[in-house]
Amino acid sequence: MPSQITPRELKQRLDRGDDLIVLDVREAEELALARLVGAVHIPMGEIAGRLHEIDSDAEIVVVCHHGVRSAQVASLLAQRAFVRVVNLTGGIDAWSQTVDPTVPRY
């Protein structure tokens, strides 16, 4: 099971300027509804074929709608030798509720 980070913890880390990659694994239609500025978008179904686009040495925070798909992707990345991978607990929905209410909920 991958490590978890809360939306508030992620916000603090982003505000500090920590060097990390926010990887959004939702579908393009979902991204059109609500997005995290600066996130890298690779849909869950494309991850296996696009691993070469992700820095395996970077710290990666994986994001989806509620945290279920992102947990699966985080587990996959950990199995593929990505050593610093965490899942955003509650996904972008929790981000909207606890950090930034301007991000639409859907």
Side-chain angles (χ1 to χ4, degrees), residues 7 16 27 40 48 77 81 90 92:
R16 276 197 315 253
E27 297 299 319
V40 174
L77 293 175
I92 196 162

Side-chain angles (χ1 to χ4, degrees), residues 15-61:
D15 287 348
R16 276 197 315 253
D18 288 4
D19 189 21
L20 50 87
I21 295 170
V22 177
L23 176 62
D24 192 326
V25 299
R26 295 174 300 138
E27 297 299 319
E29 299 80 23
E30 294 175 282
L31 204 65
L33 298 172
R35 68 173 47 225
L36 291 178
V37 176
V40 174
H41 177 235
I42 303 176
M44 180 178 180
E46 297 177 18
I47 289 288
R50 296 177 61 184
L51 288 176
H52 63 280
E53 297 178 32
I54 308 167
D55 181 355
S56 61
D57 294 325
E59 183 171 4
I60 302 166
V61 178

Side-chain angles (χ1 to χ4, degrees), residues 5 10 17 34 39 45 49 52 54-55 70-71 77 85-86 93 99 101-102 104:
I5 188 171
L10 176 58
H52 63 280
I54 308 167
D55 181 355
S70 55
L77 293 175
V85 180
V86 296
D93 191 62
V99 172
T102 66

Side-chain angles (χ1 to χ4, degrees), residues 77-95:
L77 293 175
Q79 292 169 5
R80 301 286 178 95
F82 288 78
V83 294
R84 299 188 310 152
V85 180
V86 296
N87 180 47
L88 181 64
T89 304
I92 196 162
D93 191 62
W95 176 273

